[in-house]
């Protein structure tokens, strides 16, 4: 490999490093992108595929379809609760 090729490869790697988020889908940055009213499809576009959870007792008596999804990575987690298919609340742990 010539010196010019090596320098070009190093420059490309250095330019791409800031785009890499060390926490992947579960990070403060991605948590801040999830907003109330988003659909599961929109949230999964930001965080990746989530794991369906049981909705907590705070949703007892809520009219409508209630589901919760969790995303976990590196000791951190994000949980979004959906009412009628839209984010109603979002919480984070381990940040």
């Amino acid at each position: 490999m010539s010196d010019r090729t090596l320098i070009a490869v190093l420059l490309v790697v250095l330019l791409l490093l800031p785009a890499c988020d060390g926490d992947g889908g579960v990070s403060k940055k991605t948590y801040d992108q999830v907003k109330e009213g988003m659909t599961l499809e929109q949230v999964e576009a930001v965080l990746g595929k989530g794991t369906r959870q049981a909705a907590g007792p705070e949703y007892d008596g809520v009219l409508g379809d209630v589901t919760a999804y969790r995303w976990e990575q590196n000791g951190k987690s994000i949980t979004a609760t959906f009412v009628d298919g839209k984010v109603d609340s979002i919480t984070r742990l381990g940040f």
Side-chain angles (χ1 to χ4, degrees), residues 1 10 39 55-56 64 67 70 73-75 79 81 84-85 87 93-95:
M1 187 181 291
L10 287 174
T39 64
T67 55
R70 176 175 287 159
Q73 189 174 25
N74 299 328
T79 302
T81 303
D84 292 330
V87 173
L93 291 172
F95 289 81

Side-chain angles (χ1 to χ4, degrees), residues 9-60:
V9 168
L10 287 174
L11 283 173
V12 168
V13 169
L14 290 174
L15 289 172
L16 292 176
L17 277 177
C20 298
D21 188 345
D23 292 327
V26 178
S27 68
K28 169 94 168 72
K29 179 180 175 182
T30 56
Y31 171 83
D32 289 341
Q33 292 175 18
V34 177
K35 306 293 182 202
E36 286 184 18
M38 292 175 77
T39 64
L40 177 60
E41 183 178 275
Q42 291 170 318
V43 175
E44 287 187 332
V46 174
L47 298 172
K49 185 151 177 63
T51 304
R52 188 177 176 143
Q53 309 288 305
E58 66 273 16
Y59 286 93
D60 286 349

